[in-house]
Amino acid sequence: MDIKLVVFDVDGVLTDGSLYYSENGECIKRFNVKDGVGLKLLQDKGIAVAIVSAKESEPLSRRISDLGIKHFYPGSKDKLATVHGIAQQLNISMHQVAMVGDDMVDLNVMRVCGLSIAPADAYVRVKSQVDWITEAKGGEGVAREVADRILSLYYDLDEIYQLTTTEYFERKR
């Protein structure tokens, strides 16, 4: 397996899929810090990360900016075309793409990728059609689990995680 790009859906993958609204009608999203570390590690090791979501939100845009993710496509109405475009831009084949999704809208992409992954609590029809189901539920470390598993194909994870606290925080910037 030669994964060069990992694509993540947002709601139900990087979040638990819940929608929280403030008194003012503002949508609030909760993200897992462990997922952020996983996304950064993938990028640090030369594996591109893309976030492709059908929805747009300010909290999501801020989180992606904080993580320095270059390939961010909110409001994508055609995820398959979006992912094909990213693969072309990176000059890789769809077999070098891993897709992490949780619902039916993600399946058309997952069917043509080299590796399809769903969270433990993904929609049952999705879980029945993917290569791998994570132990983590959406919003509870899915991206970190995916990052660890993909990175373990190429690296010794013990070496990656033997950073001093200073090195760790310097790499997070």
Side-chain angles (χ1 to χ4, degrees), residues 1-4 47 149-156 160:
M1 187 167 302
D2 184 27
I3 300 299
K4 302 284 187 196
I47 297 174
R149 188 154 174 190
I150 289 174
L151 290 172
S152 73
L153 297 171
Y154 310 106
Y155 302 98
D156 179 348
I160 290 174

Side-chain angles (χ1 to χ4, degrees), residues 72-166:
F72 175 44
Y73 300 88
S76 176
K77 301 303 177 210
D78 185 346
K79 289 185 178 187
L80 182 57
T82 300
V83 174
H84 269 294
I86 300 167
Q88 286 178 332
Q89 179 184 354
L90 296 173
N91 198 30
I92 62 173
S93 78
M94 290 299 287
H95 292 289
Q96 294 173 301
V97 176
M99 172 69 188
V100 188
D102 70 309
D103 215 328
M104 298 301 289
V105 69
D106 303 313
L107 273 178
N108 62 342
V109 181
M110 297 167 102
R111 288 181 179 129
V112 298
C113 290
L115 180 62
S116 58
I117 306 164
D121 60 341
Y123 181 55
V124 66
R125 292 184 71 181
V126 171
K127 291 195 301 186
S128 71
Q129 298 182 52
V130 298
D131 299 315
W132 166 40
I133 300 168
T134 65
E135 292 181 24
K137 294 179 179 179
E140 297 181 7
V142 169
R144 181 63 172 272
E145 184 178 336
V146 168
D148 280 356
R149 188 154 174 190
I150 289 174
L151 290 172
S152 73
L153 297 171
Y154 310 106
Y155 302 98
D156 179 348
L157 289 181
D158 289 335
E159 287 180 17
I160 290 174
Y161 288 126
Q162 286 185 350
L163 300 175
T164 66
T165 303
T166 303

Side-chain angles (χ1 to χ4, degrees), residues 3 5 23 34 42 45 53 56 89 104 110 112 115 118 129 136 138 141 159 166 168 170 172-173:
I3 300 299
L5 168 66
E23 297 177 354
K34 291 181 196 93
L42 285 167
K45 293 299 181 182
S53 178
E56 296 183 53
Q89 179 184 354
M104 298 301 289
M110 297 167 102
V112 298
L115 180 62
Q129 298 182 52
E159 287 180 17
T166 303
Y168 172 77
E170 297 235 342
K172 279 188 81 169
R173 287 187 199 161

Side-chain angles (χ1 to χ4, degrees), residues 9-20 28-30 55 102 121 137-140:
D9 176 40
V10 177
D11 294 322
V13 174
L14 297 180
T15 74
D16 66 4
S18 298
L19 296 175
Y20 304 92
I28 302 165
K29 293 187 181 280
R30 181 182 69 87
K55 295 181 184 167
D102 70 309
D121 60 341
K137 294 179 179 179
E140 297 181 7

